[in-house]
């Protein structure tokens, strides 16, 4: 749960900063600029990896399973979000599809980073 909360809070906070600075269009307006979508995707990848790390770090047992469980939850939530975003035509279709595709791999990388960090501490 903590990994999911971290991803959501960090993503929304970053989005808000870019909206406030005028980099992104106002909330609720479509964002079709590929560069802006790539920017959003890049920090969502980073936050997805961080979320997987947090899930593994806080797991009482089987850290990688917890990280991958977060990835599956992210996959489900991203799929639902993609359906809504595509239907609302909020931007290019590739962006929400990419969020679906990165959910599990990012969580897995976070779990791997935790495994490596734990082995070195």
């Amino acid at each position: 749960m903590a990994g999911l909360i971290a991803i959501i809070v960090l993503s929304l906070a970053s989005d808000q900063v870019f909206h406030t600075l005028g980099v992104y269009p106002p909330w609720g307006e479509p964002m079709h600029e590929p560069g802006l979508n790539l920017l959003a995707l890049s920090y969502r990848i980073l936050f997805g990896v961080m979320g997987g790390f947090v899930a593994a770090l806080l797991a009482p047992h089987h850290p990688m399973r917890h990280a991958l469980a977060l990835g599956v939850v992210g996959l489900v939530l991203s799929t639902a979000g993609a359906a809504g975003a595509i239907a609302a035509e909020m931007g290019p279709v590739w962006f929400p599809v990419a969020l679906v595709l990165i959910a599990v791999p990012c969580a897995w990388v976070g779990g791997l980073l935790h495994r490596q960090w734990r082995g070195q501490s």
Side-chain angles (χ1 to χ4, degrees):
M1 196 67 175
L4 180 62
I5 291 169
I7 293 168
I8 292 170
V9 168
L10 290 169
S11 295
L12 289 175
S14 297
D15 289 348
Q16 183 60 44
V17 167
F18 287 117
H19 283 290
T20 300
L21 293 174
V23 175
Y24 290 172
W27 286 102
E29 290 187 19
M31 187 166 76
H32 292 288
E33 175 62 40
L36 297 180
N37 285 282
L38 284 171
L39 173 62
L41 182 62
S42 67
Y43 60 77
R44 279 171 171 73
I45 290 170
L46 175 65
F47 298 154
V49 171
M50 290 170 58
F53 184 90
V54 168
L57 180 67
L58 298 177
H61 305 286
H62 309 291
M64 184 59 85
R65 286 187 198 169
H66 283 76
L68 290 174
L70 172 65
V72 171
V73 169
L75 175 71
V76 170
L77 294 176
S78 295
T79 300
I86 292 168
E89 298 179 3
M90 294 303 294
V93 172
W94 66 261
F95 179 75
V97 170
L99 294 179
V100 172
L101 296 175
I102 67 167
V104 174
C106 286
W108 176 71
V109 169
L112 287 177
L113 289 173
H114 172 264
R115 181 182 290 164
Q116 182 180 19
W117 174 77
R118 185 187 64 200
Q120 292 178 355
S121 60

